[in-house]
Structure formats: C-alpha cells, structure tokens
Amino acid sequence: EWLLRKKKDAWASTAEEPFSEESILSGMTLEELRDGQDRARSVRDKLRRLRAPRRDVDPFAIDLTLAESTEEPFSDPDWLFELKYDGYRVLAARHEGKPKLRSRNAKDLTDSFPEIVRALGALPYDDLVLDGELVVLDDAGLPDFQRLQKRARTRRGFDVERAAVELPATFFAFDLLAFEGRDLRSLALSQRKQLLQPLIPRSGPLRFADHVAEQGLAMYDKVREMGLEGMMAKKASSKYVARRTRQWLKIVVERTTDFVLCGYSAPRGNRAGFGALHLGAYRNGELRYAGRVGTGFNDTQLSDIREMLDSAAQKKPACSGPVPTSKEHVWVRPEWVAEVRYKEITDDGFLRAPVFVRLRDDKRPEEC
C-alpha cells in the first residue's frame, strides 16, 4: 500500500550495487545489529593492553596539535601522509552523552551542522573525541571552501536544516583523542589511527581520513595532479601535544600564508570597492606591515569586503613598518584574516606577486 522513493542526495551512487551494506550512521550491518555484535570490543581490549590512561577528555577544554609549514615534500618510512582538506579544523565528540562540534578557536558549532550531529549521535559508542576536518564537497567530490563558508554563515534553525540538505557537510576524522573514558593522546599517531579506522562508517557524513605511509613524494605528485590544496606529513610515532610541532608538517602545493587585514587603498578608474588590501603579520608579538594585495577579487568580494572593513575604520594603522602615508589609504582594526598566495617574500618583508585567495573566518589574527 506504500511506495517509498529515495530522493538523490550528496551520497547517492550511480553504481548498480551499493558501495557498502553498512549503515552510513552507525557503520554496522544488519547482521551485526541482529546478532548484537560490538565493534568497540577489540578497541577496548587494545586500549587496555596499551595502558591508555583513564581520564575524561572535554573537547572544549583541550588545545589542538598544530602543524608547522614546510615547502619541500619528502618520503620517509617513519612518516604518514594525509590529504590537506580545504575546510574547518573541528573536534567532533560524544561527551557526557551529547554530540558536540568545536572549532579550532573553541567555538561551539553544534547547532550549525545537524547532519554531522545526527551521525555522531548514531555511533554505537558511549563517548569519543575525534579530530578532523569539516568540509562541504563540490559536485566532483572535492572540498569547496566557499560552499563551506556559505553553510557556516547560515544561522536560523529552518535555514540550517535546509542547508544541511542543499550543502551537506562531511567530517573527515584523522585522529582519535579519547574513547569511552580513556585518553589516547599519549599513544603514537599510528596506534591512534589504527584504533580509529574501524570505529567510523565507510560512507556518509562521517569518514575516516586515510593516509599513505612513507611515499610522500608520490602522494605530493598526485595531489598536485588533482589540483588539491596540499598534504599533511605526520611522524608515525608522534603523540598528540597541545602546541604547534615539527612532527606535524603542512605542505601546500602553492605557497600561501594567512595575513591580517590592516586597511585598504582607494579604487581607481572603473574599479569598485577598493584598490588593494593592506596586509600585516605578527613577528615577535608585533603586527608588522607585509605589503598589499590587489588581485584575485571578483566584483562581489570588492563590494562586500569594502563594506566589512568600513565598519572598523580607524585613523592610524594598527601595524608598524613602512606603511603608506597618503590620504587615499584607509586603516582598520586588525580583526580579519585573509589567505594570500604569492611567489616569495622579499628581503624587506613584502610579498612578491600576491593574489587574494579567500577570507579565513575560522582563524584569529594572532595566528598570522
């Protein structure tokens, strides 16, 4: 008497057979559910053997491990290599029985991504803390940062639910920090990833961020061929430390850096908005002038960024150094961050051939 017709969604496949017989939420098969099987049992046994300490890990109270930047890719049998996803760094957790999402700046994103929250709530485990990257994929299955920013700007309840259908997010988990009352941060990264993989469904809103061992140069060539942002290199023996470390390295295909927006120059000719953005970066705690970027903007960005900066105008530049002094320049409070691609940094500290990439509303100016 009933006909159910499944509407195409972000995880639909054109294959004749499904990719997997596992649930995209719990990661379990119907047979496992029927037989009452417990996938976490082997993980618990391994954690006992590894003597992972019993300790509550609050995802909103811990500091993240952050990567240093390096320019040259490499291969090394002691290192693991992952894709660098073009998204938001997020901790996803089941803590005290509730799903939670926390940004790298410790902001609560739980209400903004209900599809990820539902997937976390469906996992058949009491509690866990995952470190990973939250992305919105494009039609080709590649991370699209502009789509993610559009999702993140959606605030109202009904609009958020609709956006979860039109621009669904995916969380790629690359690390397991805690599981059912045990703190895993003192274990080696290779051990944490081995424990993590069987806990995550093979398809759906939660995914395991896989890696390649040793072959960093080959992976870099493939990342460049596919037009992806870059890759991460991580020492297989590295522990999860609450600071930036050389045991995690970020390798981008193009040289990009985040800069603080310090002001803009007046537009000339038929150009709208502004001529160029003035940039700054912190050196030894001091915000120093780093030059300007005037290319890479579309008409909408020229208008929107100008309106945004005008709301924070001030008389003097917030950055020190050889800043322009003519009246055509407007200075603003250092509240926003932009990612800029460039050829090199000159001896006097300015960017050569800079191109605007995007605004980074997930980073604080002090991180630049």
Side-chain angles (χ1 to χ4, degrees):
E1 297 181 1
W2 290 91
L3 173 66
L4 294 178
R5 183 170 185 265
K6 179 70 174 68
K7 182 178 178 182
K8 183 178 179 181
D9 60 17
W11 303 285
S13 168
T14 57
E16 293 184 3
E17 297 294 332
F19 286 118
S20 171
E21 294 182 355
E22 300 172 351
S23 165
I24 66 171
L25 294 178
S26 69
M28 301 182 71
T29 65
L30 290 174
E31 290 74 19
E32 286 177 315
L33 291 170
R34 179 196 65 198
D35 299 337
Q37 295 183 21
D38 183 2
R39 285 194 172 189
R41 183 179 303 162
S42 63
V43 175
R44 297 189 195 102
D45 293 341
K46 290 178 182 178
L47 289 175
R48 279 195 294 269
R49 291 196 299 269
L50 292 169
R51 296 184 179 180
R54 287 196 173 278
R55 186 184 301 126
D56 179 64
V57 178
D58 184 349
F60 282 86
I62 63 176
D63 293 324
L64 306 185
T65 297
L66 301 175
E68 296 277 1
S69 295
T70 187
E71 297 179 9
E72 297 298 327
F74 62 93
S75 292
D76 192 308
D78 296 328
W79 289 70
L80 306 178
F81 301 90
E82 303 169 347
L83 285 179
K84 184 180 183 299
Y85 295 93
D86 199 7
Y88 288 166
R89 178 80 175 275
V90 166
L91 293 186
R94 282 267 296 278
H95 185 249
E96 297 179 345
K98 298 180 180 179
K100 297 179 180 180
L101 297 176
R102 170 230 151 143
S103 74
R104 62 179 290 162
N105 297 330
K107 294 182 179 179
D108 192 338
L109 302 180
T110 306
D111 293 336
S112 298
F113 297 93
E115 68 274 40
I116 305 299
V117 170
R118 281 192 286 267
L120 286 169
L123 291 175
Y125 318 120
D126 292 336
D127 69 88
L128 77 170
V129 179
L130 307 170
D131 193 357
E133 199 83 3
L134 187 70
V135 303
V136 171
L137 303 175
D138 64 14
D139 296 337
L142 300 178
D144 187 320
F145 194 80
Q146 291 188 2
R147 293 189 183 194
L148 176 60
Q149 285 187 312
K150 184 177 180 180
R151 268 299 307 271
R153 285 194 291 265
T154 307
R155 293 286 186 267
R156 294 185 301 178
F158 176 78
D159 293 335
V160 169
E161 288 289 347
R162 186 171 65 180
V165 175
E166 296 175 349
L167 295 170
T170 303
F171 179 78
F172 285 93
F174 54 67
D175 213 331
L176 180 63
L177 310 189
F179 184 76
E180 295 195 349
R182 291 188 181 268
D183 187 348
L184 280 62
R185 290 175 291 176
S186 61
L187 303 181
L189 172 66
S190 57
Q191 294 172 324
R192 301 196 304 270
K193 291 182 75 71
Q194 186 180 36
L195 292 164
L196 169 64
Q197 187 167 9
L199 299 177
I200 302 297
R202 287 192 285 182
S203 60
L206 300 181
R207 313 268 184 98
F208 175 69
D210 212 341
H211 61 274
V212 171
E214 184 177 349
Q215 301 297 326
L217 290 173
M219 182 168 176
Y220 181 84
D221 290 340
K222 191 64 177 179
V223 166
R224 182 171 54 187
E225 176 188 326
M226 295 178 66
L228 299 174
E229 185 181 11
M231 69 181 191
M232 304 295 298
K234 299 178 180 179
K235 195 76 173 289
S237 61
S238 63
K239 299 179 180 180
Y240 197 91
V241 294
R243 64 179 186 276
R244 198 172 294 277
T245 174
R246 291 291 298 175
Q247 294 197 336
W248 285 23
L249 298 174
K250 176 175 61 175
I251 307 171
V252 295
V253 174
E254 295 178 320
R255 190 176 303 183
T256 64
T257 304
D258 298 321
F259 293 91
V260 183
L261 298 187
C262 297
Y264 64 86
S265 61
R268 294 181 180 179
N270 295 327
R271 182 166 174 139
F274 55 86
L277 295 177
H278 292 302
L279 307 173
Y282 283 94
R283 300 174 191 168
N284 299 321
E286 180 185 8
L287 184 58
R288 298 277 299 175
Y289 187 64
R292 64 183 81 179
V293 57
T295 60
F297 308 96
N298 58 40
D299 291 340
T300 301
Q301 290 170 328
L302 288 170
S303 175
D304 290 349
I305 294 175
R306 169 66 182 270
E307 182 179 355
M308 177 186 77
L309 294 179
D310 280 347
S311 67
Q314 62 183 26
K315 293 183 178 181
K316 296 182 178 181
C319 52
S320 60
V323 298
T325 57
S326 64
K327 294 182 179 180
E328 69 170 350
H329 302 286
V330 177
W331 303 103
V332 301
R333 295 190 298 273
E335 299 176 351
W336 293 280
V337 173
E339 183 179 359
V340 177
R341 185 172 67 247
Y342 58 95
K343 295 290 186 183
E344 63 180 2
I345 297 178
T346 63
D347 292 340
D348 54 5
F350 293 156
L351 304 180
R352 177 174 171 237
V355 178
F356 174 83
V357 178
R358 58 185 176 181
L359 293 176
R360 294 301 302 258
D361 52 12
D362 61 324
K363 290 193 175 183
R364 295 178 292 108
E366 292 79 12
E367 295 183 70
C368 301

